[in-house]
């Protein structure tokens, strides 16, 4: 079973905001993602979707110019492109 919940970290203990459908002493694996990182991811996805919509109406000349800029960014900061690609694929960068 996969389950996403909200929880609060207090006094060294992670406390779910709602009851969990688990048996007593059931072992689970926990992945923690802060709410801030979720907000940042949502903002990045919205920005990338907006860029994709804008790109869809570009002329061939504008598309070629953008490709040149993206190649320069790739050469300068390849990690940015990897990050945005991972976010669009809904992967953890």
């Amino acid at each position: 079973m996969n389950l996403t919940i909200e929880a609060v970290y207090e006094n060294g203990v992670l406390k779910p905001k709602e009851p969990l459908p688990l048996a007593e002493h059931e072992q689970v694996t926990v992945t923690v993602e802060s709410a801030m990182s979720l907000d940042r991811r949502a903002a990045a996805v919205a920005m990338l979707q907006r860029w994709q919509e804008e790109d869809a109406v570009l002329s061939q000349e504008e598309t070629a110019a953008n490709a040149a800029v993206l190649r320069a960014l790739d050469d300068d900061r390849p990690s940015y492109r990897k990050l945005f690609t991972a976010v669009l694929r809904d992967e953890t960068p």
Side-chain angles (χ1 to χ4, degrees):
M1 163 181 50
N2 289 326
L3 180 64
T4 301
I5 63 159
E6 291 187 359
V8 176
Y9 185 71
E10 293 178 348
N11 300 320
V13 177
L14 197 57
K15 298 179 180 181
K17 289 187 172 183
E18 58 194 48
L20 300 176
L22 301 171
E24 193 68 24
H25 302 290
E26 183 174 343
Q27 297 228 352
V28 297
T29 300
V30 177
T31 302
V32 176
E33 186 168 11
S34 73
M36 176 181 254
S37 66
L38 291 174
D39 292 343
R40 291 176 67 188
R41 176 178 292 225
V45 167
M47 178 182 65
L48 291 170
Q49 288 171 336
R50 191 171 55 250
W51 287 352
Q52 286 178 330
E53 292 166 3
E54 292 170 358
D55 285 351
V57 296
L58 294 177
S59 68
Q60 287 183 334
E61 294 81 17
E62 291 168 322
T63 299
N66 278 357
V69 170
L70 289 175
R71 278 192 300 277
L73 285 174
D74 282 345
D75 291 342
D76 189 40
R77 305 233 185 221
S79 59
Y80 287 155
R81 190 119 169 113
K82 182 179 178 184
L83 169 68
F84 286 135
T85 301
V87 167
L88 279 179
R89 289 185 185 148
D90 196 27
E91 300 170 356
T92 303

Coordinates of all heavy atoms in Angstrom, one line a residue:
M1 N 0.8 -1.2 0.0 CA 0.0 0.0 0.0 C 0.9 1.2 0.0 O 1.9 1.3 0.8 CB -0.9 0.0 1.3 CG -1.5 1.3 1.6 SD -2.5 1.4 3.1 CE -1.6 0.7 4.3
N2 N 0.6 2.2 -0.9 CA 1.2 3.5 -0.9 C 0.2 4.5 -0.3 O -0.9 4.5 -0.7 CB 1.7 3.9 -2.3 CG 2.8 3.0 -2.7 OD1 3.7 2.7 -2.0 ND2 2.8 2.8 -4.0
L3 N 0.7 5.4 0.5 CA -0.1 6.4 1.2 C 0.6 7.7 1.3 O 1.8 7.7 1.8 CB -0.5 5.8 2.5 CG -1.4 6.6 3.4 CD1 -2.8 6.8 2.7 CD2 -1.6 6.0 4.7
T4 N 0.0 8.8 1.0 CA 0.6 10.1 1.2 C -0.2 10.8 2.3 O -1.4 10.9 2.2 CB 0.6 10.9 -0.1 OG1 1.4 10.2 -1.1 CG2 1.3 12.3 0.2
I5 N 0.5 11.3 3.3 CA -0.2 11.9 4.4 C 0.5 13.2 4.8 O 1.7 13.4 4.4 CB -0.3 11.0 5.7 CG1 1.1 10.7 6.2 CG2 -1.1 9.7 5.4 CD1 1.1 10.3 7.6
E6 N -0.1 14.0 5.6 CA 0.5 15.2 6.2 C 0.9 14.8 7.6 O 0.1 14.1 8.3 CB -0.4 16.4 6.1 CG -0.6 16.9 4.7 CD -1.4 18.2 4.7 OE1 -1.7 18.7 5.8 OE2 -1.5 18.8 3.6
A7 N 2.0 15.3 8.1 CA 2.4 15.0 9.4 C 3.2 16.3 10.0 O 3.6 17.1 9.2 CB 3.3 13.8 9.5
V8 N 3.3 16.3 11.3 CA 4.1 17.4 11.9 C 5.2 16.8 12.7 O 5.0 15.7 13.4 CB 3.1 18.2 12.9 CG1 3.9 19.2 13.6 CG2 2.0 18.8 12.1
Y9 N 6.4 17.4 12.6 CA 7.5 16.9 13.4 C 7.6 17.7 14.7 O 7.7 18.9 14.7 CB 8.8 17.1 12.6 CG 10.0 16.5 13.3 CD1 10.2 15.1 13.4 CD2 11.0 17.3 13.8 CE1 11.3 14.6 14.0 CE2 12.1 16.8 14.4 CZ 12.3 15.4 14.5 OH 13.4 14.9 15.1
E10 N 7.4 17.0 15.9 CA 7.4 17.6 17.2 C 8.2 16.8 18.2 O 8.0 15.6 18.3 CB 6.0 17.7 17.7 CG 5.1 18.7 17.0 CD 3.7 18.7 17.6 OE1 3.3 17.8 18.4 OE2 2.9 19.6 17.2
N11 N 9.1 17.4 18.8 CA 9.9 16.8 19.9 C 10.5 15.5 19.5 O 10.5 14.5 20.2 CB 9.0 16.5 21.1 CG 8.4 17.8 21.7 OD1 9.1 18.8 21.8 ND2 7.2 17.8 22.1
G12 N 11.0 15.5 18.2 CA 11.7 14.3 17.7 C 10.8 13.2 17.2 O 11.3 12.1 16.9
V13 N 9.5 13.5 17.1 CA 8.6 12.5 16.7 C 7.8 13.0 15.5 O 7.3 14.1 15.5 CB 7.6 12.1 17.8 CG1 6.6 11.0 17.3 CG2 8.4 11.5 19.0
L14 N 7.6 12.2 14.5 CA 6.8 12.5 13.3 C 5.3 12.1 13.6 O 5.1 10.9 13.8 CB 7.3 11.8 12.1 CG 6.8 12.3 10.7 CD1 7.2 13.8 10.5 CD2 7.5 11.5 9.6
K15 N 4.4 13.1 13.7 CA 3.0 12.8 14.1 C 2.1 13.0 13.0 O 1.9 14.2 12.5 CB 2.7 13.7 15.3 CG 3.5 13.5 16.5 CD 3.1 14.5 17.6 CE 4.0 14.3 18.9 NZ 3.6 15.1 20.0
P16 N 1.4 12.0 12.5 CA 0.5 12.1 11.4 C -0.7 13.0 11.8 O -1.1 13.0 13.0 CB 0.0 10.7 11.2 CG 1.0 9.8 11.8 CD 1.6 10.6 12.9
K17 N -1.2 13.8 10.9 CA -2.4 14.6 11.2 C -3.7 13.9 11.2 O -4.7 14.4 11.6 CB -2.4 15.8 10.2 CG -1.3 16.8 10.4 CD -1.6 18.0 9.4 CE -0.6 19.1 9.7 NZ -0.8 20.3 8.9
E18 N -3.7 12.6 10.7 CA -4.9 11.8 10.7 C -4.5 10.4 11.0 O -3.4 10.0 10.9 CB -5.5 11.9 9.3 CG -4.6 11.4 8.2 CD -5.1 11.8 6.8 OE1 -5.4 13.0 6.6 OE2 -5.0 10.9 6.0
P19 N -5.5 9.6 11.5 CA -5.2 8.2 11.8 C -4.8 7.4 10.5 O -5.2 7.8 9.4 CB -6.6 7.6 12.3 CG -7.4 8.8 12.7 CD -6.9 10.0 11.8
L20 N -3.9 6.5 10.7 CA -3.4 5.7 9.6 C -4.0 4.3 9.6 O -4.2 3.7 10.7 CB -1.8 5.6 9.7 CG -1.1 6.9 9.7 CD1 0.4 6.6 10.0 CD2 -1.3 7.6 8.4
P21 N -4.2 3.7 8.4 CA -4.8 2.4 8.3 C -3.7 1.3 8.4 O -3.5 0.6 7.5 CB -5.5 2.4 6.9 CG -4.6 3.4 6.1 CD -4.1 4.4 7.1
L22 N -3.1 1.3 9.5 CA -2.0 0.3 9.7 C -2.2 -0.5 11.0 O -2.9 -0.1 11.9 CB -0.6 1.1 9.9 CG -0.2 2.0 8.8 CD1 1.0 2.8 9.3 CD2 0.1 1.2 7.6
A23 N -1.7 -1.7 10.9 CA -1.8 -2.6 12.1 C -0.8 -2.2 13.1 O 0.2 -1.6 12.8 CB -1.5 -4.1 11.7
E24 N -1.1 -2.4 14.4 CA -0.2 -2.1 15.5 C 1.2 -2.8 15.2 O 1.2 -3.9 14.9 CB -0.8 -2.5 16.8 CG -0.1 -1.9 18.0 CD -0.2 -0.4 18.2 OE1 -1.2 0.2 17.7 OE2 0.7 0.2 18.8
H25 N 2.3 -2.0 15.3 CA 3.6 -2.5 15.2 C 4.0 -2.9 13.7 O 5.0 -3.5 13.5 CB 3.9 -3.7 16.1 CG 3.7 -3.4 17.5 ND1 4.6 -2.6 18.2 CD2 2.8 -3.8 18.4 CE1 4.1 -2.5 19.5 NE2 3.0 -3.2 19.6
E26 N 3.1 -2.5 12.8 CA 3.4 -2.8 11.4 C 4.6 -1.9 11.0 O 4.7 -0.7 11.3 CB 2.2 -2.4 10.5 CG 2.4 -2.7 9.0 CD 1.1 -2.5 8.2 OE1 0.0 -2.4 8.8 OE2 1.2 -2.4 7.0
Q27 N 5.5 -2.5 10.3 CA 6.7 -1.8 9.8 C 6.4 -1.1 8.5 O 5.8 -1.7 7.6 CB 7.9 -2.7 9.7 CG 8.3 -3.3 11.0 CD 9.8 -3.3 11.3 OE1 10.5 -2.9 10.4 NE2 10.2 -3.6 12.5
V28 N 6.9 0.1 8.3 CA 6.7 0.9 7.1 C 8.0 1.6 6.7 O 8.9 1.7 7.5 CB 5.5 1.9 7.2 CG1 4.2 1.2 7.5 CG2 5.9 2.9 8.3
T29 N 8.1 2.0 5.5 CA 9.2 2.9 5.0 C 8.6 4.3 4.9 O 7.6 4.5 4.3 CB 9.7 2.4 3.7 OG1 10.2 1.0 3.9 CG2 10.9 3.3 3.2
V30 N 9.3 5.3 5.4 CA 8.8 6.7 5.4 C 9.8 7.5 4.5 O 11.0 7.4 4.7 CB 8.8 7.2 6.8 CG1 8.4 8.7 6.8 CG2 7.9 6.4 7.7
T31 N 9.2 8.2 3.6 CA 9.9 9.2 2.8 C 9.4 10.6 3.2 O 8.2 10.8 3.2 CB 9.7 9.0 1.3 OG1 10.1 7.7 1.0 CG2 10.5 10.0 0.5
V32 N 10.3 11.5 3.6 CA 9.9 12.8 4.1 C 10.2 13.9 3.0 O 11.3 13.9 2.5 CB 10.7 13.2 5.4 CG1 10.3 14.6 5.8 CG2 10.3 12.1 6.4
E33 N 9.2 14.6 2.7 CA 9.3 15.8 1.7 C 8.6 17.0 2.4 O 7.4 16.9 2.7 CB 8.7 15.4 0.4 CG 8.9 16.5 -0.6 CD 8.5 16.0 -2.0 OE1 7.9 15.0 -2.2 OE2 8.9 16.7 -3.0
S34 N 9.4 18.0 2.6 CA 8.8 19.2 3.3 C 7.8 19.9 2.4 O 7.8 19.8 1.2 CB 9.9 20.2 3.7 OG 10.4 20.9 2.6
A35 N 6.8 20.5 3.1 CA 5.7 21.2 2.4 C 6.3 22.3 1.5 O 5.8 22.5 0.4 CB 4.7 21.8 3.4
M36 N 7.4 22.9 1.9 CA 8.0 23.9 1.1 C 8.6 23.4 -0.2 O 8.4 24.0 -1.2 CB 9.2 24.6 1.9 CG 9.9 25.7 1.0 SD 11.3 26.4 1.9 CE 10.5 28.0 2.2
S37 N 9.2 22.2 -0.1 CA 9.7 21.6 -1.4 C 8.5 21.3 -2.3 O 8.7 21.3 -3.5 CB 10.6 20.4 -1.1 OG 9.9 19.4 -0.6
L38 N 7.4 20.9 -1.8 CA 6.2 20.6 -2.6 C 5.7 21.8 -3.3 O 5.4 21.8 -4.4 CB 5.1 20.0 -1.7 CG 5.4 18.5 -1.2 CD1 4.2 18.1 -0.3 CD2 5.5 17.6 -2.4
D39 N 5.7 23.0 -2.5 CA 5.3 24.2 -3.1 C 6.2 24.7 -4.2 O 5.8 25.2 -5.2 CB 5.2 25.3 -2.0 CG 4.1 25.1 -1.0 OD1 3.2 24.3 -1.3 OD2 4.2 25.7 0.1
R40 N 7.5 24.5 -3.9 CA 8.5 24.9 -5.0 C 8.4 24.0 -6.2 O 8.5 24.5 -7.3 CB 9.9 24.8 -4.4 CG 10.2 25.8 -3.3 CD 11.5 25.7 -2.7 NE 12.6 25.9 -3.6 CZ 13.9 25.7 -3.4 NH1 14.3 25.2 -2.2 NH2 14.8 26.0 -4.3
R41 N 8.1 22.7 -6.0 CA 8.0 21.8 -7.2 C 6.7 22.3 -8.0 O 6.8 22.3 -9.2 CB 7.8 20.4 -6.7 CG 7.5 19.4 -7.8 CD 7.5 18.0 -7.4 NE 8.8 17.7 -6.9 CZ 9.3 16.5 -7.2 NH1 8.7 15.6 -7.9 NH2 10.5 16.2 -6.8
A42 N 5.6 22.6 -7.3 CA 4.4 23.0 -8.0 C 4.6 24.3 -8.8 O 4.2 24.4 -9.9 CB 3.3 23.2 -6.9
A43 N 5.4 25.2 -8.2 CA 5.7 26.4 -8.9 C 6.6 26.2 -10.1 O 6.4 26.8 -11.2 CB 6.4 27.4 -7.9
A44 N 7.5 25.3 -10.0 CA 8.4 24.9 -11.1 C 7.6 24.3 -12.2 O 7.8 24.6 -13.4 CB 9.6 24.0 -10.6
V45 N 6.7 23.3 -11.9 CA 5.9 22.7 -12.9 C 5.0 23.7 -13.6 O 4.9 23.6 -14.8 CB 5.1 21.5 -12.2 CG1 4.0 21.0 -13.2 CG2 6.0 20.4 -11.8
A46 N 4.4 24.6 -12.8 CA 3.6 25.6 -13.5 C 4.4 26.5 -14.4 O 3.9 26.8 -15.5 CB 2.9 26.5 -12.4
M47 N 5.6 26.9 -14.0 CA 6.4 27.7 -14.9 C 6.8 26.9 -16.2 O 6.7 27.4 -17.3 CB 7.7 28.1 -14.2 CG 8.6 28.9 -15.0 SD 10.2 29.3 -14.1 CE 10.9 27.7 -13.9
L48 N 7.1 25.6 -16.0 CA 7.5 24.9 -17.2 C 6.3 24.6 -18.1 O 6.5 24.6 -19.3 CB 8.1 23.5 -16.7 CG 9.5 23.7 -16.1 CD1 9.9 22.3 -15.4 CD2 10.6 24.1 -17.0
Q49 N 5.2 24.4 -17.6 CA 4.0 24.2 -18.4 C 3.7 25.5 -19.2 O 3.3 25.5 -20.3 CB 2.8 23.8 -17.5 CG 2.9 22.4 -17.1 CD 1.9 22.0 -16.1 OE1 1.3 22.8 -15.4 NE2 1.6 20.7 -16.0
R50 N 3.8 26.6 -18.5 CA 3.6 27.9 -19.2 C 4.6 28.1 -20.3 O 4.3 28.5 -21.4 CB 3.8 29.1 -18.2 CG 3.3 30.4 -18.7 CD 3.2 31.5 -17.6 NE 4.5 31.6 -16.9 CZ 4.7 31.3 -15.6 NH1 3.7 30.7 -14.9 NH2 5.8 31.5 -15.0
W51 N 5.9 27.7 -20.1 CA 6.9 27.8 -21.1 C 6.5 26.9 -22.3 O 6.7 27.3 -23.5 CB 8.3 27.4 -20.6 CG 8.9 28.4 -19.7 CD1 8.5 29.7 -19.4 CD2 10.1 28.3 -19.0 NE1 9.3 30.3 -18.6 CE2 10.3 29.5 -18.3 CE3 11.0 27.2 -18.8 CZ2 11.4 29.6 -17.4 CZ3 12.1 27.4 -18.0 CH2 12.3 28.6 -17.3
Q52 N 6.0 25.7 -22.0 CA 5.7 24.8 -23.1 C 4.5 25.3 -23.9 O 4.5 25.2 -25.1 CB 5.3 23.4 -22.5 CG 6.4 22.6 -22.0 CD 6.0 21.3 -21.4 OE1 4.9 21.2 -20.8 NE2 6.9 20.3 -21.5
E53 N 3.5 26.0 -23.2 CA 2.4 26.6 -24.0 C 2.9 27.7 -24.8 O 2.5 27.9 -26.0 CB 1.4 27.1 -23.0 CG 0.7 26.0 -22.2 CD -0.1 26.5 -21.0 OE1 -0.2 27.7 -20.8 OE2 -0.7 25.6 -20.3
E54 N 3.9 28.5 -24.3 CA 4.4 29.6 -25.1 C 5.2 29.1 -26.3 O 5.1 29.7 -27.4 CB 5.3 30.5 -24.2 CG 4.5 31.3 -23.2 CD 5.4 32.0 -22.1 OE1 6.6 31.8 -22.2 OE2 4.8 32.7 -21.2
D55 N 6.0 28.0 -26.1 CA 6.8 27.5 -27.1 C 5.9 26.9 -28.3 O 6.4 26.9 -29.4 CB 7.7 26.4 -26.6 CG 8.9 26.9 -25.8 OD1 9.1 28.1 -25.8 OD2 9.6 26.1 -25.2
A56 N 4.7 26.5 -27.9 CA 3.9 25.9 -28.9 C 3.4 26.8 -30.0 O 3.1 26.4 -31.1 CB 2.6 25.3 -28.3
V57 N 3.5 28.1 -29.7 CA 3.0 29.1 -30.7 C 4.2 29.9 -31.4 O 4.0 30.9 -32.1 CB 2.0 30.1 -30.1 CG1 0.8 29.4 -29.7 CG2 2.6 30.9 -28.9
L58 N 5.4 29.5 -31.1 CA 6.6 30.2 -31.7 C 6.8 29.9 -33.2 O 6.4 28.8 -33.6 CB 7.9 29.8 -31.0 CG 8.0 30.2 -29.5 CD1 9.3 29.6 -28.9 CD2 7.9 31.7 -29.3
S59 N 7.3 30.8 -33.9 CA 7.7 30.6 -35.3 C 8.9 29.7 -35.3 O 9.6 29.5 -34.3 CB 8.0 32.0 -36.0 OG 9.2 32.5 -35.4
Q60 N 9.3 29.3 -36.5 CA 10.5 28.4 -36.7 C 11.7 29.2 -36.3 O 12.6 28.7 -35.7 CB 10.6 27.9 -38.1 CG 9.6 26.9 -38.5 CD 9.8 26.3 -39.9 OE1 10.3 27.0 -40.8 NE2 9.4 25.1 -40.1
E61 N 11.7 30.5 -36.6 CA 12.9 31.3 -36.3 C 13.0 31.5 -34.8 O 14.1 31.4 -34.2 CB 12.8 32.7 -36.9 CG 12.9 32.7 -38.4 CD 11.6 32.4 -39.1 OE1 10.5 32.4 -38.4 OE2 11.6 32.0 -40.3
E62 N 11.9 31.7 -34.1 CA 11.9 31.8 -32.6 C 12.3 30.5 -32.0 O 13.1 30.5 -31.0 CB 10.6 32.3 -32.1 CG 10.2 33.7 -32.5 CD 8.8 34.1 -32.3 OE1 7.9 33.2 -32.5 OE2 8.5 35.2 -31.9
T63 N 11.8 29.4 -32.5 CA 12.2 28.1 -32.0 C 13.7 27.8 -32.1 O 14.3 27.4 -31.2 CB 11.4 27.0 -32.7 OG1 10.0 27.2 -32.5 CG2 11.7 25.6 -32.2
A64 N 14.2 28.2 -33.3 CA 15.7 28.0 -33.5 C 16.5 28.9 -32.5 O 17.5 28.5 -32.0 CB 16.0 28.4 -34.9
A65 N 16.0 30.1 -32.3 CA 16.7 31.0 -31.4 C 16.7 30.5 -29.9 O 17.7 30.5 -29.2 CB 16.1 32.4 -31.4
N66 N 15.5 30.0 -29.5 CA 15.4 29.4 -28.2 C 16.3 28.2 -28.1 O 16.9 27.9 -27.0 CB 13.9 29.0 -27.9 CG 13.1 30.1 -27.5 OD1 13.6 31.2 -27.3 ND2 11.8 29.9 -27.2
A67 N 16.4 27.4 -29.1 CA 17.3 26.2 -29.1 C 18.7 26.6 -28.8 O 19.4 25.9 -28.1 CB 17.1 25.4 -30.3
A68 N 19.1 27.7 -29.4 CA 20.5 28.2 -29.2 C 20.7 28.6 -27.8 O 21.7 28.3 -27.2 CB 20.8 29.3 -30.2
V69 N 19.7 29.3 -27.2 CA 19.8 29.7 -25.8 C 19.9 28.5 -24.9 O 20.7 28.4 -24.0 CB 18.6 30.6 -25.4 CG1 18.6 30.8 -23.9 CG2 18.7 31.9 -26.2
L70 N 19.0 27.5 -25.2 CA 19.0 26.3 -24.3 C 20.4 25.5 -24.4 O 20.8 25.0 -23.4 CB 17.9 25.3 -24.7 CG 16.5 25.8 -24.3 CD1 15.4 24.9 -24.9 CD2 16.4 26.0 -22.8
R71 N 20.9 25.5 -25.6 CA 22.3 24.8 -25.7 C 23.3 25.6 -24.9 O 24.1 25.0 -24.2 CB 22.7 24.8 -27.2 CG 22.1 23.7 -28.0 CD 22.8 23.5 -29.3 NE 22.7 24.7 -30.2 CZ 21.6 24.9 -31.0 NH1 20.6 24.1 -31.0 NH2 21.6 26.0 -31.7
A72 N 23.2 26.9 -24.9 CA 24.2 27.7 -24.1 C 23.9 27.4 -22.6 O 24.9 27.3 -21.8 CB 24.0 29.2 -24.4
L73 N 22.7 27.3 -22.2 CA 22.4 27.0 -20.8 C 22.9 25.6 -20.4 O 23.4 25.4 -19.3 CB 20.9 27.1 -20.5 CG 20.3 28.5 -20.4 CD1 18.8 28.4 -20.3 CD2 20.9 29.2 -19.2
D74 N 22.7 24.7 -21.4 CA 23.2 23.3 -21.1 C 24.7 23.3 -20.9 O 25.2 22.6 -20.0 CB 22.8 22.4 -22.3 CG 21.4 21.9 -22.2 OD1 20.7 22.1 -21.2 OD2 20.9 21.4 -23.2
D75 N 25.4 24.1 -21.7 CA 26.9 24.1 -21.6 C 27.3 24.8 -20.3 O 28.2 24.4 -19.6 CB 27.5 24.9 -22.8 CG 27.3 24.2 -24.1 OD1 27.1 23.0 -24.1 OD2 27.5 24.8 -25.1
D76 N 26.5 25.8 -19.9 CA 26.8 26.6 -18.7 C 26.4 25.9 -17.4 O 27.1 25.9 -16.4 CB 26.2 28.0 -18.8 CG 26.7 28.9 -17.7 OD1 27.9 28.9 -17.4 OD2 25.9 29.7 -17.2
R77 N 25.1 25.4 -17.4 CA 24.6 24.8 -16.2 C 23.7 23.6 -16.5 O 22.5 23.6 -16.4 CB 23.7 25.9 -15.5 CG 24.4 27.2 -15.3 CD 24.2 27.5 -13.8 NE 24.8 28.8 -13.7 CZ 25.5 29.1 -12.6 NH1 25.7 28.3 -11.7 NH2 26.0 30.3 -12.5
P78 N 24.4 22.5 -16.8 CA 23.6 21.3 -17.2 C 22.7 20.8 -16.0 O 21.7 20.1 -16.3 CB 24.7 20.3 -17.5 CG 26.0 20.8 -17.0 CD 25.8 22.3 -16.9
S79 N 23.0 21.1 -14.8 CA 22.2 20.6 -13.7 C 20.8 21.2 -13.7 O 19.8 20.6 -13.3 CB 22.9 20.9 -12.4 OG 23.1 22.2 -12.2
Y80 N 20.7 22.5 -14.2 CA 19.4 23.1 -14.3 C 18.4 22.3 -15.2 O 17.3 22.1 -14.9 CB 19.4 24.5 -14.8 CG 20.0 25.5 -13.8 CD1 20.6 26.7 -14.2 CD2 19.9 25.3 -12.4 CE1 21.1 27.6 -13.3 CE2 20.4 26.2 -11.5 CZ 21.0 27.3 -11.9 OH 21.5 28.2 -11.0
R81 N 19.0 22.0 -16.4 CA 18.2 21.3 -17.4 C 17.7 19.9 -16.8 O 16.6 19.5 -17.0 CB 19.0 21.1 -18.6 CG 18.1 20.6 -19.8 CD 18.2 21.6 -20.9 NE 17.7 21.1 -22.1 CZ 16.5 21.6 -22.6 NH1 15.9 22.6 -22.0 NH2 16.1 21.1 -23.7
K82 N 18.7 19.2 -16.1 CA 18.4 17.9 -15.5 C 17.3 18.1 -14.5 O 16.4 17.3 -14.4 CB 19.6 17.3 -14.9 CG 19.5 16.0 -14.3 CD 20.8 15.5 -13.7 CE 20.6 14.1 -13.1 NZ 21.8 13.6 -12.5
L83 N 17.4 19.1 -13.6 CA 16.4 19.4 -12.6 C 15.0 19.6 -13.2 O 14.0 19.0 -12.8 CB 16.8 20.6 -11.8 CG 15.7 21.1 -10.8 CD1 15.4 20.1 -9.7 CD2 16.1 22.5 -10.3
F84 N 14.9 20.5 -14.2 CA 13.6 20.8 -14.8 C 13.0 19.5 -15.5 O 11.8 19.3 -15.4 CB 13.7 21.9 -15.8 CG 13.8 23.3 -15.1 CD1 14.7 24.2 -15.5 CD2 13.0 23.6 -14.0 CE1 14.8 25.4 -14.9 CE2 13.1 24.8 -13.3 CZ 14.0 25.7 -13.8
T85 N 13.9 18.8 -16.1 CA 13.4 17.5 -16.8 C 12.9 16.6 -15.8 O 11.8 16.0 -16.0 CB 14.6 16.9 -17.6 OG1 15.0 17.8 -18.6 CG2 14.1 15.6 -18.3
A86 N 13.5 16.4 -14.6 CA 13.1 15.5 -13.6 C 11.7 16.0 -13.0 O 10.9 15.2 -12.7 CB 14.1 15.4 -12.5
V87 N 11.6 17.3 -12.8 CA 10.4 17.9 -12.3 C 9.2 17.6 -13.2 O 8.1 17.2 -12.8 CB 10.5 19.4 -12.0 CG1 9.1 20.0 -11.7 CG2 11.4 19.6 -10.8
L88 N 9.4 17.8 -14.5 CA 8.3 17.5 -15.5 C 8.0 16.0 -15.5 O 6.8 15.7 -15.7 CB 8.8 17.9 -16.9 CG 8.6 19.4 -17.2 CD1 9.1 19.7 -18.6 CD2 7.1 19.9 -17.0
R89 N 8.9 15.2 -15.3 CA 8.6 13.7 -15.2 C 8.1 13.3 -13.9 O 7.9 12.1 -13.6 CB 9.9 13.0 -15.5 CG 10.3 13.1 -17.0 CD 11.5 12.2 -17.3 NE 12.0 12.4 -18.6 CZ 13.2 12.2 -19.0 NH1 14.1 11.9 -18.1 NH2 13.6 12.4 -20.2
D90 N 8.0 14.3 -12.9 CA 7.6 14.0 -11.6 C 8.5 13.0 -10.8 O 8.1 12.1 -10.2 CB 6.1 13.4 -11.5 CG 5.5 13.5 -10.1 OD1 6.0 14.4 -9.3 OD2 4.7 12.7 -9.8
E91 N 9.8 13.2 -11.0 CA 10.8 12.5 -10.3 C 11.4 13.4 -9.3 O 11.5 14.6 -9.4 CB 11.9 12.0 -11.3 CG 11.4 11.2 -12.4 CD 12.5 10.9 -13.5 OE1 13.6 11.5 -13.4 OE2 12.2 10.2 -14.5
T92 N 12.0 12.8 -8.3 CA 12.7 13.6 -7.3 C 14.1 13.8 -7.8 O 14.8 12.9 -8.1 CB 12.9 12.8 -6.0 OG1 11.5 12.5 -5.5 CG2 13.6 13.6 -4.9
P93 N 14.5 15.1 -8.0 CA 15.8 15.5 -8.5 C 16.9 15.2 -7.5 O 16.7 15.1 -6.4 CB 15.7 17.0 -8.8 CG 14.4 17.4 -8.3 CD 13.6 16.3 -7.8

